[in-house]
Amino acid sequence: MHRALSCLAAGILMMTPALTAPAAAQNAIPASQASRIERVVSPGGIEAWLVRQTHLPVLAVSFAFRGGSAQDLPGREGTANLMAALLDEGAGDLDSEAFNGRLQDRAIEVSFSASRDLFSGSLRTLTEHRAEALDLLRLALTRPRFDTAPLERMRQSVLASVRRASTNAGSIASDNFWATAFPGHPYGRRGAGTLDSVTAITAADLSALHRRLLARDHLKVAVVGDITAGELAPLLDMVFGSLPAKSELTPVPEAVIAGTGERRVIPLDVPQATISFGLPGLKRDDPDFIPAFVLNHILGGGGFSSRLYQEVREKRGLAYSVSSGLAAFDAAGLVTGGTSTRNDRAAESLAVITAELKRLGAEGPTELELEQAKRYLIGSWALRFETSTQIASNLIRLQLDDLQPDYLDRRNGLIEAVSLDDVRRVARRLFGDPKMLVVVVGKPEGM
Amino acid sequence: MPMTRRMFTTVLSALAAPALLPPAAVAAVPVERAYRHVLANGLEVVAIPDHRVPVVTHMLWYKVGSADEEPGKSGLAHFLEHLLFKGTTRNPAPVFSRAISAAGGQENAFTSYDYTGYFQRIAREQLPVMMDFEADRMTGLVLTDAVVLPERDVVLEERRQRIDNEPGARLGERMQARLWGETHPYGIPIIGFEHEIRQLNLDDAMAFYRRHYAPNNAILVVAGDVTADTVFRLAAETYGRMDANPRIADRTRPPAIGRATRERVRLADQRVRQPSLTHTHVVPSYRSARPGEAEALEVLSQVIGSSPNGAMYKTLVSDRQLAVSAGCFYAGSALGEGRFGIHAAPRPGVSIEALEAAMFEVAARVADAGVRDDEIARAKTRLIAESVYSQDSQASMARMYGAALTSGASMEDLQQWVERIRAVSREQINAMAPRAFDFSRAVTGELARAERS
């Protein structure tokens, strides 16, 4: 968010927009690095995956707990999101100002975030300040204060973003899409909450959620930087050891996207219509996930080659951005996508997208498309983990997907093994009779 | 934001407090190795070796941006950037993109006021091929209306998506025009005005291309798993084939229009649910500043506006509870002058007038009292640490060097930035404070909710 804003503020236009979050299978580090992963287990039983790097005096730590905004209580939507904003706003004996002062004295960066299924965070510090940084992280994770003043301040900040989103075409499209796709289900709610729910959240709500989510049983940790396994092991206990052993997660019911076949048009006085679409997909543990991942690359994945990019943008000039992706949650799997397109040709854009899904479902990709997609996905392996922070978050993803470090060596083989029959089968399964939920925000003509 | 080393570093959202005086926290700051070589045809080549992963970032920067367009042709530099993906005589589309994709590489391009850049991130073995393609694209572009016209529609959609659909972006466009002047190159949007984009055509694009795309108007930056010698040799074998364009001249930017009083730009839209207020004025950039001035502005904006304990946030958000957000910024990298400003967004029930008065009280206090040693030390720690963090990404390094060098910086400017930040004194900083925080001739931008008519 900040990065995107600062890019725009600095006045830089990119040829293609940043794509939506890639699917889970994209996250990993190349085989050449696999042997460098050390599984470190602390005396207290906390496991971390470590990649030792000594080229820069920087230490990066990533961690995640299962259970994110889907764990928010009804009427208190936005609790996990607000908790993420408050963990570094005072902890232990340090109030907000003192805590932030300690971070800034050493240029230590900490951040926390909540998604539907996860509460995650990261730390970055110069190696020489590692002890101070990890101690502050310990305080933030285990002894957050949720003091009244920072709570009100962060509440106001979240409310401002909720107000801003309330008239933003993309946010309206997204909110309506998820609310229609998952009525009455945690996935149908806004992660940031609503004006009413955010206003209702109390410090007791935050403490209760903190107690339920932040525990050792679903904790994943990854560390990249200049530290040995021997040095790291006791530090893991120091940071995470005093968290409760067990979380208290409410099971999230399995769900399938609802509203397929529906088209919702939400009027908004803007010169461009925003379209969100989705249909049933698959979860990460589905045997067809890898073929589906390759298939999605062909349909609307990254680069300039996808069918949607070619048909919607390149040939017809209908949009600047158009893409699709696999949304694989813990309790649901979807194929989602979207575009922003001129109002007077929004119907045409949607027709082109629909036609491409149908064509892919009926005929599958060509042999050449499959080969090109495989070459791209295999070759791009090495690019996905350049920085310490990227490596750390990728190692977290592997752990969350219940994969072992050897997946790094196996992964390209799995892509290579995808056959034309595989992608055609999955294309029929996903797009054989594509009934999409479509949400359009704007003043689209003819819809 | 060239010149400064802070270009693509993230903004930290949580920092600060008057506590202990921080020691010189970063005693030994590693500085990346970077090497420069100029080919006979004038192409500047910069190599930044980084051997952690077998990947390179190959970026070609042209010293031309939207500020180099002719009147009435706004958006042309950016439009041409899009058209450079349409193929050449030797490599018709999509040969280049296919080659990148087949190796698992990424590509993109970008345009700003002062520069245009093209890049690939790809396995190191592909570097010679990428150089060959990119050199070919420097002069070999072939365009037809069949590809130009749909791409113009794409750019119009990009404009709608980025600007027309976003009240805040529309206000930003108007503020730039008022700040610099309606006809000043920085007062005209990079993406162009809609009515002018609509008129751009194939001939405009080719004329702009022939005039500005040449080896002696470009800087090649390669970061990653390759030695400097290899980069220079490969560049000579590929880009070295191109002829220099003798008509390439040095670029200058005119000064901003003068202004005797503060001026207000107000944008009211029914869709605005969170108002905001920004005051901005023209200050020296790293390039136009006298020694120490830009560094002083950098430290000032860091002290006052980049953390929850900075005066803007602490006073307006934490203590007086008038705002939901507040901060300060210095945009110091440009071929011309830079910008300095403060911004805030009011809490519900707080009038814009009350917020504005409070913002000016903070500004007056800083202008008057300056900043303290402990605040300065903390800000420097932060700025210097960022320069270490940024070395973690070869793509960030390539961007930083390219943006700075196309805006008139030298290699020494970049490599000595940390030392210059360290060296800037409290006296220099506080001498700059009254100028930085004098908004009496600023442009004020107000984003407001329109009443229903």
Side-chain angles (χ1 to χ4, degrees), chain A residues 11 13 15-16 55 97 100-101 104-105 107 109 128 153 163 167 271-272 304 314 320 342 386 388, chain B residues 16-17 25 52 86 107-112 121 157 161-162 165 190 271 274 313 378 382 389 392 394:
Chain A
L13 304 179
M15 172 74 185
T16 51
H55 64 286
E97 195 171 322
N100 280 305
Q104 197 180 22
D105 282 345
E109 299 178 353
E128 62 185 311
R153 186 157 44 78
R163 283 195 297 274
T167 56
Q272 187 183 56
F304 301 154
E314 197 69 9
Y320 170 62
R342 49 197 286 186
E386 184 203 327
S388 307
Chain B
R52 287 175 290 159
K86 301 303 182 188
E107 64 174 329
N108 214 328
F110 47 84
T111 306
S112 187
R121 287 185 68 230
E157 289 311 309
Q161 185 172 334
R162 288 182 188 277
N165 257 21
I190 298 166
R271 288 170 52 218
Q274 175 58 60
Y313 187 96
R378 199 175 257 173
R382 171 77 216 153
Y389 293 150
D392 200 17
Q394 58 172 243

Side-chain angles (χ1 to χ4, degrees), chain B residues 95-174:
Chain B
V95 171
F96 189 5
S97 287
R98 282 265 165 84
I100 295 166
S101 159
Q106 300 169 343
E107 64 174 329
N108 214 328
F110 47 84
T111 306
S112 187
Y113 294 107
D114 296 323
Y115 54 76
T116 308
Y118 302 84
F119 72 90
Q120 302 88 36
R121 287 185 68 230
I122 200 159
R124 66 178 172 204
E125 296 78 20
Q126 300 294 324
L127 181 60
V129 181
M130 293 300 113
M131 285 191 176
D132 193 49
F133 275 122
E134 197 65 87
D136 173 45
R137 186 158 70 163
M138 186 180 277
T139 56
L141 182 66
V142 176
L143 295 178
T144 62
D145 274 344
V147 297
V148 167
L149 299 180
E151 198 61 35
R152 192 172 64 192
D153 285 341
V154 169
V155 171
L156 287 165
E157 289 311 309
E158 182 179 357
R159 190 192 147 84
R160 289 189 188 103
Q161 185 172 334
R162 288 182 188 277
I163 312 285
D164 303 328
N165 257 21
E166 303 292 336
R170 278 158 47 213
L171 173 63
E173 205 168 90
R174 293 186 199 178

